[in-house]
Amino acid sequence: MMKLTTPNGKASEEVIQSFELENNLKLPVVYREFLKENNGGETEPSLFRISESEGVSVLNSLYGLGDMYENLQDFLEIYDERLPNGFIPIGNDPGGNVICVATKGKQADQVYFWDHEAETEEPNDMANVYFLANDINEFLSNLFEEAEG
């Protein structure tokens, strides 16, 4: 059972709407609810499988909104024009790779892994992006403690 070890409280509807207006985007429904309830944090367990070929990584933290170190706004600016269009960074692993959520189209709410070591000059090239889950809740429920056999 996944638990947040350092939740950042709750993000209010006003804070979420302000973030959306400032960044000209609409957060997908399930991720929006996650922010309202938890607003990011660190998890236990924290391991996740990227893919069969890429193996396992560690969820370092999930970003939140407001006055905090792991601020979603800061990371949105850091990865601006680096992530594929319609993707926002919502967390990271210790290696500097990014956990993303899709904000548009049929992919909205889906969670992906963006491998910074395989980053290309063309941000919309999806060669370094791996599907993880249909939404943040599914992603969190798939976290595990030790390497799978």
Side-chain angles (χ1 to χ4, degrees), residues 10 25 62 128 145:
K10 298 175 186 274
L25 60 84
L62 293 167
N128 65 329
E145 282 190 45

Side-chain angles (χ1 to χ4, degrees), residues 75-105:
F75 286 95
L76 192 62
E77 291 167 12
I78 290 167
Y79 290 101
D80 184 39
E81 298 186 22
R82 292 179 66 192
L83 298 177
N85 187 30
F87 284 65
I88 61 167
I90 63 167
N92 60 20
D93 76 358
N97 301 301
V98 179
I99 311 304
C100 303
V101 70
T103 61
K104 297 179 179 176

Side-chain angles (χ1 to χ4, degrees), residues 95 97 115-119 128:
N97 301 301
D115 182 350
H116 81 92
E117 292 176 16
E119 184 176 1
N128 65 329

Side-chain angles (χ1 to χ4, degrees), residues 33-82:
E33 289 304 313
F34 170 78
L35 289 173
K36 283 182 179 179
E37 286 302 311
N38 305 291
N39 200 22
E42 295 175 4
T43 65
E44 237 177 62
S46 59
L47 297 178
F48 63 94
R49 180 167 296 286
I50 301 165
S51 70
E52 283 302 314
S53 62
E54 297 298 311
V56 173
S57 187
V58 178
L59 177 60
N60 193 43
S61 65
L62 293 167
Y63 311 140
L65 295 174
D67 186 19
M68 65 190 67
Y69 179 70
E70 300 272 316
N71 188 302
L72 179 58
Q73 182 65 49
D74 294 342
F75 286 95
L76 192 62
E77 291 167 12
I78 290 167
Y79 290 101
D80 184 39
E81 298 186 22
R82 292 179 66 192

